[in-house]
């Protein structure tokens, strides 16, 4: 696994925010990050679409130097009352979010 700094990953996510908002017609988007159990760390986005807030993220593994490597290349959606896993792309994520909002 290739470990890189948290700051580098967060900067990449931040740079994509405006594109994300336009591409998926979002009301808002911000960075989501959360420490998980053990060496797990989650990074992704918090988005507002259709008046609802969603956390979408990928799992990373943290090493002793606080650098991260992608643990599993799949997105998870945390909605108000449900969690959806196994999305391979943001297109798939937002297809599901659009379906939820119908």
């Amino acid at each position: 696994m290739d470990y890189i700094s948290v700051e580098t990953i967060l900067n990449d996510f931040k740079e994509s925010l405006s594109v994300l908002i336009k591409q998926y017609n979002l009301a808002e988007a911000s960075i989501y990050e959360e420490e998980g159990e053990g060496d797990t760390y989650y990074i992704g986005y918090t988005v507002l679409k259709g008046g609802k807030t969603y956390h979408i993220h990928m799992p990373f593994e943290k090493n002793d130097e606080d650098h991260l490597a992608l643990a599993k290349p799949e997105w998870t959606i945390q909605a108000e009352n449900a969690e959806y896993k196994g999305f391979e792309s943001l297109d798939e994520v937002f297809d599901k979010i659009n379906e939820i909002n119908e």
Side-chain angles (χ1 to χ4, degrees):
M1 277 193 229
D2 293 332
Y3 286 88
I4 56 177
S5 73
V6 175
E7 293 78 23
T8 300
I9 295 169
L10 290 175
N11 284 337
D12 288 347
F13 275 80
K14 285 175 188 170
E15 286 177 12
S16 65
L17 280 176
S18 61
V19 172
L20 190 79
I21 290 168
K22 289 177 188 168
Q23 184 171 350
Y24 297 108
N25 195 27
L26 305 174
E28 291 179 26
S30 59
I31 301 300
Y32 173 86
E33 62 178 310
E34 179 184 350
E35 291 249 11
E37 293 182 21
D39 296 337
T40 306
Y41 200 87
Y42 300 99
I43 297 180
Y45 304 100
T46 298
V47 300
L48 180 62
K49 182 154 179 114
K52 297 178 183 170
T53 301
Y54 301 93
H55 302 293
I56 55 177
H57 54 77
M58 299 180 100
F60 289 80
E61 182 180 300
K62 185 168 58 169
N63 67 11
D64 294 336
E65 298 168 357
D66 288 339
H67 285 73
L68 303 176
L70 187 59
K72 194 171 188 182
E74 71 176 33
W75 292 95
T76 296
I77 303 169
Q78 290 179 307
E80 254 179 46
N81 298 319
E83 183 172 270
Y84 307 92
K85 294 182 174 216
F87 300 96
E88 294 180 5
S89 70
L90 285 174
D91 285 341
E92 289 180 12
V93 166
F94 286 102
D95 285 347
K96 183 63 176 179
I97 289 174
N98 289 335
E99 180 185 308
I100 294 168
N101 278 324
E102 289 179 347

